[in-house]
Amino acid sequence: MIWQQLQSLVGSYPLAVRGLGMTVMLSLISLVLGTLLGFGLGVLRTGGNRLISTAIGTWVDLIRGTPFLVQIFLIFFILPELGVELDAFTAGIIALTNLAACFICEIVVAGIRSVPTGQVEAALASGLSRWQRMRQVVLPQAMRIVLPPLVGQYVLLIKDSSVVSAIGLTDLTRVGWLVVQRVPNGLLVFFLVGLGYFIVCYPLIMLARRLERRMGAAHGEVQL
Amino acid sequence: MIEFRGVNKWFGALNVLKDITLSVEPGEVVVVCGPSGSGKSTLIRCINGLETIRDGDLVVDGRRLGDPATNMTLLRAEIGFVFQSFNLYPHKTALENVTLAPIHVRKIQRAEAEKAGRELLAKVGLADKVNAYPAQLSGGQQQRVAIARCLGMRPKIMLFDEPTSALDPEMISEVLDVMVAVAEEGMTMMVVTHEMGFARKVAQRVVFMDAGAIVESGTPEEFFSDPKTDRSRAFLSKILRH
């Protein structure tokens, strides 16, 4: 019987590849967009304008304080009520990008705040503009703090992308649901689904660990 | 060049600068001394807008601070500021520290800025440390890079906030030598320091502050040999004791 199940699983191979492709695509697009947006929000939040800073802070808290599944449902089901038609893929990208941006914003803010005040004062005193101070002095130093948790966040993002199966996107998790209807062995099917995610995430976990070690070593040399 | 008229500043309820009136002429070297917490650092940090004043007038290089018409970024480019803790950029080499502002603020060509930067580092005795990172330099060397970084902007004024206080004793003189050389080239300088040898050598005036106010001001000769107030006498006896 297990032999039959395995044969049937092999037959689902193209579906699995499609699912994995969807998961990677969703993650990659929202990871790139979320990183750009997250850095932008982080820089703005520390920029000194209290109104902008509060607005971003409130939004980040809202997103961090609500389940991702609920956010996806809100975007996918509520926006069309307001006249914004979205296909599931776009809705998934928007939800994931927004989630990533909020978490990355927090990481970037922590990195920027870790740069000693004296550095900003030195840049200020030599006449660098706000953007030049950020670009030349603050961000390069903040990156040491930002990089390891940033890569860690990518891992979380890839795993969170499984939630988009709830709005009907055929990602790796949904492929699991589809296959398990034909091959009644949930343990085996979802073991393979889990393995698929792990294969994508593990290199990133290793990278985060290496970065952390390297940044730690580099920090030993830096006099603050 | 620098003109304080009735300047006051508060940190909360604390009156850190009390009715400061002080004028510094072009090319003049003024040493500011006084007990810790007397407002010396705050005084010079006001000049390039690292601190803001509450009332009174502060005019620097003909521009009034706090005036919306004064572009602080442009003004700061004309004022070098040397910090007690150096504040070199740790991710940039000595040369990159010196050329950053000339390239980005003065818009000087990179090659030209690097040539000038190398000359300045040679001038402060660090020709061989051009590519060293701050963490690879001693405190005295870092502070000399910091001075070169200011000079790279060809400033009209240089402010020093206790430039030798964070240094080991044997490194103090190498930094003071560079400061003396800068002073002798005619730079307008305000120096917060307790290095009385430096004051005697190059300062035209010593300003003594206590509890946020200027208590006494005179030539180094007058100040050291004949302090006028009890507070300055008490202060001098403490720092000159050893």
Side-chain angles (χ1 to χ4, degrees):
Chain A
M1 182 156 110
I2 190 100
W3 181 244
Q4 262 182 338
Q5 287 181 353
L6 277 176
Q7 270 187 321
S8 177
L9 267 180
V10 172
S12 309
Y13 172 73
L15 193 60
V17 169
R18 226 183 92 198
L20 191 64
M22 173 61 88
T23 289
V24 169
M25 181 91 95
L26 267 173
S27 307
L28 199 67
I29 294 176
S30 41
L31 185 149
V32 170
L33 293 178
T35 303
L36 292 175
L37 194 59
F39 269 82
L41 289 176
V43 168
L44 277 177
R45 194 172 173 191
T46 54
N49 183 320
R50 191 167 296 174
L51 196 70
I52 292 175
S53 177
T54 310
I56 295 173
T58 309
W59 182 250
V60 168
D61 286 350
L62 268 175
I63 295 306
R64 298 215 309 171
T66 50
F68 183 49
L69 186 61
V70 173
Q71 294 168 19
I72 287 201
F73 283 155
L74 283 175
I75 289 172
F76 190 58
F77 295 116
I78 304 288
L79 282 185
E81 298 283 319
L82 304 172
V84 186
E85 285 300 329
L86 285 178
D87 59 279
F89 186 75
T90 315
I93 292 283
I94 290 176
L96 272 170
T97 299
N98 178 47
L99 183 76
C102 286
F103 278 94
I104 290 169
C105 168
E106 290 292 274
I107 294 173
V108 170
V109 166
I112 289 175
R113 295 208 172 125
S114 77
V115 177
T117 345
Q119 290 294 312
V120 182
E121 287 189 346
L124 203 61
S126 58
L128 294 174
S129 68
R130 181 188 289 270
W131 168 243
Q132 289 168 337
R133 294 197 294 272
M134 196 42 89
R135 168 75 189 77
Q136 299 293 334
V137 176
V138 176
L139 277 184
Q141 294 185 63
M143 282 316 284
R144 293 168 174 282
I145 304 291
V146 166
L147 223 41
L150 183 66
V151 177
Q153 192 60 49
Y154 291 162
V155 175
L156 292 178
L157 180 75
I158 292 169
K159 293 190 296 180
D160 279 341
S161 76
S162 68
V163 177
V164 298
S165 57
I167 52 170
L169 278 177
T170 315
D171 74 331
L172 197 53
T173 303
R174 192 171 165 79
V175 166
W177 283 114
L178 295 176
V179 171
V180 88
Q181 287 163 18
R182 265 188 291 156
V183 186
N185 188 337
L187 181 63
L188 182 63
V189 170
F190 280 101
F191 171 78
L192 291 173
V193 168
L195 193 66
Y197 280 103
F198 185 71
I199 288 169
V200 178
C201 290
Y202 191 59
L204 283 173
I205 294 175
M206 294 303 282
L207 178 67
R209 193 169 296 155
R210 250 189 63 186
L211 283 171
E212 216 155 318
R213 233 182 286 133
R214 225 182 58 193
M215 294 297 162
H219 254 280
E221 297 163 13
V222 175
Q223 201 171 1
L224 295 180
Chain B
M1 199 63 135
I2 305 170
E3 179 120 32
F4 287 86
R5 268 171 295 196
V7 168
N8 274 284
K9 179 174 176 65
W10 275 264
F11 284 140
L14 186 67
N15 194 184
V16 286
L17 291 181
K18 287 180 196 155
D19 258 332
I20 301 287
T21 297
L22 173 72
S23 166
V24 179
E25 301 304 316
E28 196 177 7
V29 177
V30 175
V31 161
V32 184
C33 63
S36 112
S38 59
K40 315 170 295 258
S41 293
T42 309
L43 180 80
I44 67 164
R45 285 167 60 89
C46 287
I47 296 169
N48 73 344
L50 288 179
E51 306 281 354
T52 51
I53 60 175
R54 175 140 127 204
D55 53 47
D57 283 323
L58 174 50
V59 179
V60 180
D61 191 26
R63 282 171 277 197
R64 198 167 159 273
L65 271 73
D67 189 331
T70 299
N71 181 333
M72 281 313 292
T73 305
L74 286 181
L75 180 59
R76 285 187 181 116
E78 307 298 334
I79 306 173
F81 197 103
V82 177
F83 297 86
Q84 180 178 353
S85 49
F86 330 132
N87 295 350
L88 291 181
Y89 310 128
H91 58 299
K92 293 188 181 291
T93 64
L95 184 62
E96 288 166 346
N97 265 277
V98 176
T99 56
L100 181 72
I103 290 172
H104 289 96
V105 179
R106 294 270 193 244
K107 310 290 179 200
I108 293 171
Q109 292 291 317
R110 180 172 297 271
E112 199 181 322
E114 284 181 355
K115 184 167 167 281
R118 281 174 204 281
E119 282 165 13
L120 280 168
L121 285 170
K123 186 173 155 184
V124 300
L126 294 170
D128 54 333
K129 299 290 183 189
V130 167
N131 294 317
Y133 283 91
Q136 298 164 324
L137 300 172
S138 73
Q141 290 170 332
Q142 289 192 53
Q143 194 61 297
R144 285 186 279 153
V145 173
I147 294 171
R149 174 170 70 176
C150 292
L151 292 173
M153 290 296 281
R154 305 190 181 285
K156 294 179 179 163
I157 299 168
M158 280 191 62
L159 307 170
F160 295 79
D161 187 7
E162 305 209 29
T164 56
S165 301
L167 297 176
D168 290 337
E170 74 267 24
M171 293 172 183
I172 290 177
S173 66
E174 66 187 48
V175 171
L176 290 178
D177 288 346
V178 169
M179 290 168 60
V180 168
V182 174
E184 283 171 350
E185 284 173 12
M187 179 69 72
T188 308
M189 289 166 62
M190 274 186 86
V191 185
V192 174
T193 186
H194 293 161
E195 293 298 333
M196 294 307 147
F198 172 80
R200 277 180 190 279
K201 203 165 180 178
V202 294
Q204 275 91 53
R205 195 149 38 119
V206 175
V207 169
F208 174 72
M209 287 182 76
D210 190 25
I214 294 180
V215 176
E216 198 172 329
S217 162
T219 65
E221 207 50 45
E222 289 167 356
F223 181 71
F224 292 122
S225 54
D226 184 22
K228 299 282 186 295
T229 61
D230 289 342
R231 277 185 287 181
S232 53
R233 269 193 290 274
F235 173 74
L236 281 173
S237 76
K238 267 179 209 145
I239 63 164
L240 298 177
R241 188 172 292 159
H242 8 246

